């Protein structure tokens, strides 16, 4: 199988293991079992639409390039790092992410429908879209396959602690987990907690620590020296 | 278990395809699967065939035909029960050196016995509810086997009839033994289940055990 | 629509497959489908809820079997034909029909970066009064629309509290059918985990959903 799995698949909670039927392995690999003619059918549709003048091929290329290289989690990481070092900015971010994004030089309207939600020692936020795959593209780019797939979509709302456990995150009993199901056009960015021991780092160095997973809410930000996952 | 088998109230499953003069079996293999499943019954295969079916991955469950699901779970249960190995299933041949058993179901027994009956012992248990009482189906979401459909959970109903004592499969499906208790026919108004768009006079009756209900 | 896409709370969907350093696209065809979907949207023949509805109408077994971009691709073909931008024959053959006019693409490479998002297109400036206030107790209605809706099954009939008012937006259940917008307030509504999942759920946890006025009633 192409996908590499983190240890949590073998360390998966009993409940999760009980749900996996013995011959389920491989059926959930969204991106593997592609009908052999799909590549051709897509090529065929693209050339048809170009031929009809409905789309511009250079525009298609530009759009792919934008999401492969320009728009991605580095955007969100900048926002998070700024919020960590600047309390006033954090306040403004939590009140209106759109304005806060503009402050950092993002094109106006980039944070249009974005809502930043703050993690704390007693509150942990987790984002999902159970109905499809809504995701804060502007700050995180396109979502990973696992976020868009049935296992996460189905379980995040009913067993968030089990899901977090599989990602290696164990939360204290007295913490509150808030799961945000992106049912409308609002998009959610988790503002993770600043890791302890990061006080002396520059804003740039802090941004480099912030992962996509932490901004979805399935991970915390850790310092590499502490043995955390990058 | 909240899997796709629990499809009461679902949309988009397509039209009901009515086949006139439908044969009992559409292919010989279907009849053999039914018979094999019955014949393996006396071997007391582990788990429950219903719960095994519910664990078939959702896309497969929906794609498979009825008897294909039966076949799939029969194989799983026989392998889990140690009666056959996967290699034997694959090759279709008894592994060298494996013992030969004696069939537990004979033709004579098949002809003599009516269709499978459940346990007939009926312990005496006090019912928790009485006919006419308002009840609410519990809002429970067990990851294991249950016979409480999602569409009823949290909904208000009335005890229409007490069917007596039997055992809910929720625990027995996992080999944990079963607690004998009363099972009732519970009436749910259509509007209670489906909202204002539903017919005002219609209802859905669901047979539910004590453990599935709470007083309203 | 109570389709398989509405999967919040379901069991048995298997393990979460995490891929380290996952590429944005796993194959070239995926990237082309993504770009085609977004650029053809600029013809304004459909909106985001029409396209979601199209994906939701994929038969259940196929929906679950297909990969993410395969669903997008499947839906895109249907949207293009239904909108009249292409014909079924053109879709099948991959060739422009004789005599059919050549259009001018509405978006060029230079304009890609400033294309409006789906959200920007769904917001409405209408002066509609909110029905609910922050902190108010509400109940998600027990609706079972046969067509597109953004009220998941797991929340219907459940008691919640208004957390925040997100302003006025077009109503998806209406615009999925090209009907008039029915602009109304959308609220972030907090539901206690135990309210949704019963006593075995954590006593402290909650699920927040963004719900339109029409999905709610006072509790």
């Amino acid at each position: 199988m192409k996908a590499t799995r983190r240890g949590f698949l073998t360390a998966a909670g009993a409940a999760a293991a009980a749900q996996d039927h013995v011959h389920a392995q491989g059926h959930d690999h969204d991106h593997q079992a592609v009908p052999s003619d799909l590549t051709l059918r897509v090529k065929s549709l693209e050339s048809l639409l170009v031929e009809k003048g409905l789309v511009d091929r250079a525009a298609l290329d530009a759009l792919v390039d934008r999401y492969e290289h320009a728009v991605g989690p580095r955007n969100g990481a900048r926002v998070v790092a700024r919020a960590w070092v600047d309390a006033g900015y954090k306040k403004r971010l939590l009140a209106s992410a759109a304005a806060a994004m503009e402050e950092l030089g993002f094109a106006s309207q980039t944070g249009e429908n974005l809502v930043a939600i703050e993690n704390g020692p007693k509150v942990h936020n987790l984002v999902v879209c159970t109905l499809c795959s809504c995701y804060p593209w502007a700050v995180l780019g396109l979502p990973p396959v696992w976020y868009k797939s049935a296992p996460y979509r189905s379980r995040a709302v009913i067993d968030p602690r089990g899901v977090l456990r599989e990602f290696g995150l164990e939360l204290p009993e007295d913490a509150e987990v808030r799961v945000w199901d992106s049912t409308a056009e609002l998009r959610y960015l988790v503002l993770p907690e600043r890791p302890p021991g990061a006080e002396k780092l520059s804003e740039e160095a802090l941004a480099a620590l912030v992962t996509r997973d932490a901004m979805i809410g399935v991970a915390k930000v850790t310092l590499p020296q502490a043995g955390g996952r990058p | 278990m909240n899997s796709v088998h629990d499809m009461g109230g679902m949309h988009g499953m397509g039209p009901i395809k009515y086949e006139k003069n439908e044969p009992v079996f559409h292919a010989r293999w279907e009849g053999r699967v039914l018979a094999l499943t019955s014949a393996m019954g006396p071997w007391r295969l582990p788990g429950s065939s219903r719960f095994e079916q519910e664990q078939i991955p959702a896309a497969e469950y929906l794609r498979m035909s009825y008897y294909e699901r039966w076949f799939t779970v029969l194989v799983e249960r026989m392998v889990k029960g140690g009666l056959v190995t996967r290699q034997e299933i694959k090759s279709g041949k008894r592994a060298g050196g494996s013992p030969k058993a004696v069939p537990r179901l004979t033709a004579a027994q098949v002809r003599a016995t009516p269709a499978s009956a459940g346990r007939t012992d009926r312990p005496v248990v006090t019912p928790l509810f009485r006919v006419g009482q308002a009840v609410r189906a519990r809002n429970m979401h067990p990851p294991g086997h249950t016979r409480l459909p999602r569409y009823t959970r949290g909904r208000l109903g009335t005890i229409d009839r007490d069917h007596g004592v039997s055992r809910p499969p929720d625990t027995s499906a996992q080999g944990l033994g079963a607690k004998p208790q009363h099972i009732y026919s519970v009436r749910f108004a259509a509007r209670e289940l489906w909202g204002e768009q539903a017919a005002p006079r219609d209802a859905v009756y669901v047979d539910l055990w004590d453990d599935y209900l709470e007083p309203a | 629509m109570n389709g398989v896409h509405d999967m919040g709370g379901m069991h048995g969907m298997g393990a979460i497959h995490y891929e380290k350093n996952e590429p944005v696209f796993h194959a070239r065809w995926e990237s082309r489908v993504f770009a085609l979907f977004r650029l053809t949207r600029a013809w304004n023949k459909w909106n985001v809820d029409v396209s979601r509805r199209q994906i939701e109408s994929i038969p259940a077994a196929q929906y679950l079997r297909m990969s993410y971009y395969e669903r997008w691709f499947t839906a895109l073909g249907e949207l293009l034909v239904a909108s009249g931008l292409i014909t079924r024959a053109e879709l099948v053959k991959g060739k422009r029909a004789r005599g059919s006019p050549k259009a001018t693409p509405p978006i060029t490479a230079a304009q890609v970066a400033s294309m409006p998002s789906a959200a920007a297109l769904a917001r409405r400036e209408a002066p509609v009064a909110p029905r609910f206030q922050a902190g108010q107790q509400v109940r998600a209605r027990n609706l079972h629309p046969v067509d597109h809706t953004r009220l998941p099954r797991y929340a219907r009939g459940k008691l919640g509290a208004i957390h925040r008012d997100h302003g006025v937006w077009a109503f998806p259940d209406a615009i999925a059918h090209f009907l008039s917008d029915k602009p109304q307030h959308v609220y972030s509504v907090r539901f206690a985990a135990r309210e949704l999942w019963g006593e075995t759920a954590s006593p402290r946890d909650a699920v927040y959903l963004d719900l339109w006025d029409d999905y709610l009633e006072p509790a």
Side-chain angles (χ1 to χ4, degrees):
Chain A
M1 299 193 217
K2 267 198 281 192
T4 55
R5 303 179 190 190
R6 293 210 295 205
F8 67 70
L9 277 190
T10 46
Q19 304 319 314
D20 283 1
H21 205 263
V22 160
H23 54 253
Q25 305 309 315
H27 288 289
D28 308 295
H29 268 248
D30 273 5
H31 52 273
Q32 286 204 312
V34 175
S36 54
D37 68 338
L38 195 54
T39 319
L40 295 172
R41 284 163 61 206
V42 173
K43 264 205 176 110
S44 168
L45 181 64
E46 179 175 337
S47 53
L48 171 70
L49 296 180
V50 167
E51 196 189 1
K52 287 179 71 81
L54 293 171
V55 297
D56 176 81
R57 205 188 291 279
L60 290 171
D61 294 341
L63 196 44
V64 171
D65 182 70
R66 184 172 161 73
Y67 283 94
E68 279 193 313
H69 303 113
V71 181
R74 290 302 102 217
N75 291 2
R78 281 182 57 205
V79 173
V80 170
R82 175 60 60 92
W84 283 347
V85 305
D86 183 340
Y89 180 79
K90 180 164 101 164
K91 205 162 163 216
R92 294 192 294 280
L93 172 68
L94 293 172
S96 163
M101 293 289 288
E102 275 196 58
E103 263 189 67
L104 288 189
F106 289 99
S108 83
Q109 313 265 292
T110 307
E112 168 89 51
N113 55 332
L114 194 64
V115 177
I117 44 188
E118 188 185 8
N119 279 0
K122 295 289 180 234
V123 176
H124 187 89
N125 296 287
L126 177 65
V127 182
V128 66
C129 177
T130 60
L131 297 175
C132 47
S133 60
C134 303
Y135 187 76
W137 289 14
V139 283
L140 295 185
L142 296 178
V145 171
W146 62 263
Y147 179 89
K148 303 180 286 198
S149 300
Y152 185 74
R153 283 170 57 184
S154 57
R155 287 182 58 213
V157 288
I158 190 171
D159 183 24
R161 287 171 189 262
V163 168
L164 291 173
R165 200 170 292 126
E166 284 177 28
F167 275 91
L169 203 48
E170 191 73 47
L171 295 174
E173 270 284 327
D174 63 345
E176 175 192 339
V177 175
R178 296 181 178 175
V179 185
W180 301 78
D181 191 356
S182 316
T183 48
E185 298 305 331
L186 291 317
R187 296 290 170 264
Y188 293 92
L189 172 72
V190 173
L191 180 54
E193 289 176 273
R194 181 173 179 161
E199 290 73 28
K200 301 239 168 63
L201 296 180
S202 68
E203 191 177 329
E204 212 180 304
L206 285 171
L209 296 178
V210 183
T211 61
R212 172 203 69 197
D213 289 357
M215 292 183 280
I216 295 172
V218 293
K220 291 196 180 197
V221 179
T222 54
L223 293 175
Q225 302 96 282
R229 292 186 190 84
Chain B
M1 182 179 172
N2 297 354
S3 69
V4 282
H5 75 285
D6 188 354
M7 43 176 81
M10 291 202 69
H11 297 133
M13 289 299 184
I16 296 169
K17 298 195 186 116
Y18 188 91
E19 186 188 341
K20 225 168 167 177
N21 300 319
E22 185 184 315
V24 175
F25 301 114
H26 289 77
R28 188 179 184 273
W29 69 265
E30 292 193 334
R32 303 316 280 182
V33 166
L34 177 81
L36 282 164
T37 303
S38 295
M40 294 307 295
W43 288 96
R44 299 220 171 277
L45 302 176
S48 90
S49 70
R50 280 186 185 143
F51 188 39
E52 286 293 332
Q53 278 203 45
E54 292 160 13
Q55 294 173 83
I56 293 173
E60 291 289 277
Y61 182 99
L62 293 175
R63 179 196 62 73
M64 288 181 177
S65 68
Y66 182 75
Y67 286 110
E68 195 182 346
R69 292 202 299 265
W70 276 49
F71 175 69
T72 301
V73 307
L74 177 63
V75 167
E76 282 310 304
R77 295 175 75 205
M78 289 192 301
V79 169
K80 277 184 182 153
L83 283 109
V84 299
T85 65
R86 280 203 203 280
Q87 184 50 40
E88 287 179 317
I89 295 286
K90 211 168 154 186
S91 65
K93 291 205 166 352
R94 174 155 72 106
S98 85
K100 182 161 178 165
V102 176
R104 291 193 178 169
L105 188 72
T106 65
Q109 285 168 328
V110 169
R111 282 188 278 270
T113 323
S116 68
R119 297 171 66 159
T120 50
D121 58 314
R122 295 254 185 271
V124 175
V125 175
T126 311
L128 290 185
F129 306 102
R130 39 166 220 291
V131 173
Q133 185 174 353
V135 290
R136 199 176 283 282
R138 287 186 186 277
N139 184 25
M140 48 188 241
H141 295 264
H145 185 58
T146 188
R147 297 296 285 183
L148 177 63
R150 286 180 74 188
Y151 73 86
T152 62
R153 298 173 192 174
R155 297 277 141 223
L156 197 59
T158 320
I159 302 288
D160 188 76
R161 184 164 159 173
D162 185 335
H163 288 305
V165 177
S166 76
R167 289 165 171 78
D170 302 49
T171 45
S172 59
Q174 277 133 144
L176 296 171
K179 201 176 104 191
Q181 53 193 269
H182 280 253
I183 181 169
Y184 314 89
S185 179
V186 181
R187 178 196 161 101
F188 297 89
R191 284 196 162 171
E192 167 68 10
L193 298 176
W194 313 117
E196 298 155 7
Q197 309 298 317
R201 264 176 280 283
D202 299 350
V204 179
Y205 291 72
V206 186
D207 293 324
L208 303 173
W209 281 271
D210 270 322
D211 278 359
Y212 294 169
L213 304 167
E214 57 196 14
Chain C
M1 177 187 162
N2 298 353
V4 281
H5 72 284
D6 187 353
M7 47 175 75
M10 292 201 67
H11 295 131
M13 290 297 187
I16 297 168
H17 296 316
Y18 188 94
E19 185 187 343
K20 220 169 171 179
N21 300 320
E22 187 184 314
V24 175
F25 301 109
H26 289 79
R28 187 175 190 276
W29 69 265
E30 292 194 334
S31 70
R32 305 318 281 184
V33 168
F34 167 74
L36 286 166
F37 206 96
R38 292 215 71 206
L39 289 184
T40 50
R41 165 78 186 82
W43 283 99
N44 290 323
K45 294 290 188 181
W46 59 79
N47 56 61
V48 69
D49 286 291
V50 170
S51 60
R52 283 179 183 141
R53 180 173 165 240
Q54 190 64 50
I55 293 171
E56 291 159 14
S57 72
I58 293 172
Q62 290 176 45
Y63 182 99
L64 293 173
R65 178 194 59 72
M66 287 181 175
S67 70
Y68 182 75
Y69 285 111
E70 194 183 346
R71 293 199 290 263
W72 275 41
F73 176 68
T74 302
L76 180 60
E78 295 308 306
L79 289 168
L80 289 165
V81 171
S83 68
L85 286 171
I86 69 177
T87 66
R88 176 78 55 192
E90 287 179 318
L91 177 66
V92 167
K93 293 203 191 96
K95 290 228 158 336
R96 173 156 68 111
R98 268 183 203 289
S100 86
K102 180 152 181 171
T104 307
I107 305 286
T108 62
Q111 293 164 322
V112 158
S114 54
M115 275 169 54
S117 66
L121 297 167
R123 240 193 225 283
R124 293 293 177 268
E125 290 306 321
V128 177
R131 282 171 62 221
F132 305 102
Q133 317 298 322
Q136 189 174 348
Q137 295 272 89
V138 291
R139 194 175 288 280
R141 295 171 66 195
N142 186 24
L143 305 170
H144 292 265
V146 294
D147 267 309
H148 183 66
T149 187
R150 295 295 285 185
L151 174 59
R153 287 179 74 189
Y154 72 85
R156 295 171 194 174
K158 301 294 173 206
L159 197 59
I162 303 287
H163 167 71
R164 187 166 161 172
D165 184 336
H166 286 304
V168 180
W169 301 77
F171 186 50
D173 303 43
I175 65 173
H177 297 272
F178 302 103
L179 301 172
S180 82
D181 288 354
K182 289 191 80 176
Q184 51 192 271
H185 282 254
V186 172
Y187 312 89
S188 177
V189 184
R190 178 195 162 101
F191 295 86
R194 283 195 164 173
E195 169 69 8
L196 300 176
W197 313 115
E199 299 155 6
T200 55
S202 145
R204 253 174 285 278
D205 299 348
V207 181
Y208 289 71
L209 279 79
D210 291 324
L211 302 174
W212 281 255
D213 254 324
D214 279 5
Y215 294 160
L216 305 168
E217 56 196 16

